[in-house]
Amino acid sequence: MDSEGPCALSDLCLAQVCHSLDALCCLRVDGSMSLIHSPILPQEMADQLLHRMASQGIINDRSVGIFRSSKELRLRRASIRRCSVSDQAFQLAICPHQLMELDASWVSGGLTGADVISGLASNPACRSSLQRLSLNGLRLGWESLEKVGVVHFSSLQGLRMLNLANTDLSDAVLEDICTLPHLESLDISCSAVSNVNALLECKNTLKSLTAHRLGQLDMSPARLLFVFNQLHALRHLDFSEDHFSVDDSDGKDADETVRQLLEGSPQMLPSLVSLDISGRKKISEASIRAFLKSRSDHLTFLGLLATGLSSCDVLSSLNNLKVTGEADENQVCEALKRYRDRECFIREALVHLYNLTTDTDKPKPDMLKLVVQSMQSHPASLHVHLVATACVFNLTNQDVSQALPVSLLTSTIMQLLDAMIAFPHHQQVQKNCLLTLCSDYILQDVPFDKYLATVLVINWLSRHEDPTLQRMAVAIISILVAKLSREETTQLSKDINIMKQLLAIVQQRAMIGVADSTLKFALSALWNLTDEVPAAARNFIQCRGLELYEEVLESYYTEPSIQQKVLGLLNNIAEEEEFQADLMEEDLLEHVLHLLQDSHLDVGVRYFAGGILAHIASRSEAWTLDQELLRTIEKQLVSVGKDTFKCRKMLFFFSLSERVFFFLFFLLNNKLSFKQT
């Protein structure tokens, strides 16, 4: 059982609604969706439905239309993060609700920050009810509001938390924002702000200021410290820097500001309990010691990732202080938690996590979850995925995966498949994903989209010939194909290139005469692919698979495991009447007959040899070869059928289903015997 326990009933219901949305909805004239029957849901459930739809990537102009029913689906905490939503759809579906929180970070579809503010301000209830707003990564497009004279951020008088990181925020807009009467938390990271004097307007309310990587900040250390010193209520200050983008000549004023802050009197920012200076590489250990000496009694967090200072010995004595850094797993995991949206710090933390988990032999589900979340937060970052996929392999290697929650493994594997789609030509990312997938436990017992995985691995295989990776890919395919439904296998078989690829591997290995795992896995995959799938059998024949398999049978006469896989596929073809004529090759059938007759061969080999001949011989009216060969086959089938039931030891070798087959086989033989007389 999954150690996380069963899913909550509400989660299962929401998942079903998302899966069945098309069936539950009708379309309006404008193409948007509307629930056919829309009961009044509990308010929290409406929030959860929107959040789940957003996290699954199914929120768009069409589907978000269900939330136009603001009386039945009442939103309070709305998230359309990373969704594609236009201004019009946002105005119609989101703005009518009396929102308390809205996360519109990284929304595509043309929606701007100006559109969001204009739409929210058009609802009188939202002007006072909205407390938290995140527009991270959105273009503000403020010029459109200036032209029509629409109200600004200050119209949302209830705002307490505002995130404008990675936007085109300007000094003028910051001045408007700082007039908000209840503003407690502000994030202006990676913006175009050059002057923060406006913060003095909210000095009595502002408790948290995040100002990571202000590349255009143009203030002297003295002036910046003056502003900071006036923020009497400030408890959290993030003045970190992107260490990848800054060279030695940049950020001198900012570094000097940090140095003076660290070494200054605790009367500056007296309420401060959290300080983040990660990425500030020029800060000295002496400055950190001075800061901790004067503030250790109240400090709860210190950000030191990528500063080279997180191993400072004074930190080890402060048990209640959380630190982001690279000294140990706790510091690295803290970094992954706090910097989820910052690619530069996620990259840094993942590199250290990889080094720390290279030889791990204990399950660490919380750590794995953080790695997966990092990949989800940066879906287009090659740097993040390159290291994250390697970390996933470390954290799911060997027997560790069996002790992890199944639901976590499912989400992990699906994230790896997304990585394979996003970076199809990057060999190391693909290799990392394959290394994790190549696990019997994961492939056999963990639920995930096995059809998608099969397609991705086959596509990768077609572009690479590295023997080690080829063996691994073929092993994965051989197991996955056996897990597909009949419909999925049929769909897969429509692509004849898949058959060509697998047969090419068989031919390649057979030409050099090796009986290695690559050959065996390829044969197993082909065997499973053709099981009761006529399209696959047709492709096999069209790709001259019969000729190749006849050569393999002759070449590997002393390899029963290979012979059994070859005969198993030929038996699949023999079961289909439309392809039996293709098996009417005298040399092939004589060779199969010889295998059936040889009592020294493996029982499994003789079993499939008999199955092939029984299927072919049972339709004597379709026989096109010499009649003497047909009679010889019939006699041999009768003889083997009788001997089988006489040999109790041989019967016990077979499973119940195989014994049933032999019983039918015996009846068929008796019928053939009767026809001969």
Side-chain angles (χ1 to χ4, degrees), residues 283-345:
I283 304 302
S284 68
E285 184 173 327
S287 297
I288 294 297
R289 289 181 178 276
F291 181 74
L292 291 173
K293 183 178 180 180
S294 63
R295 298 181 184 252
S296 59
D297 291 343
H298 305 290
L299 201 65
T300 60
F301 169 73
L302 183 59
L304 294 176
L305 183 68
T307 62
L309 301 173
S310 61
S311 298
C312 182
D313 55 7
V314 70
L315 294 171
S316 59
S317 62
L318 303 174
N319 297 327
N320 296 325
L321 180 66
K322 291 186 177 181
V323 178
T324 56
E326 53 273 347
D328 55 40
E329 289 184 2
N330 290 332
Q331 290 187 4
V332 173
C333 288
E334 190 67 28
L336 291 174
K337 291 176 186 176
R338 289 180 178 263
Y339 304 137
R340 190 174 301 175
D341 288 331
R342 297 183 189 172
E343 181 184 351
C344 61
F345 290 160

Side-chain angles (χ1 to χ4, degrees), residues 509-522:
R509 309 313 291 172
M511 285 179 64
I512 58 179
V514 296
D516 60 4
S517 58
T518 301
L519 175 61
K520 294 176 182 179
F521 283 132

Side-chain angles (χ1 to χ4, degrees), residues 123-141:
N123 181 349
C126 267
R127 286 176 175 253
S128 57
S129 68
L130 190 68
Q131 298 180 20
R132 301 173 65 86
L133 176 62
S134 181
L135 303 180
N136 188 1
L138 220 57
R139 187 179 73 85
L140 294 183

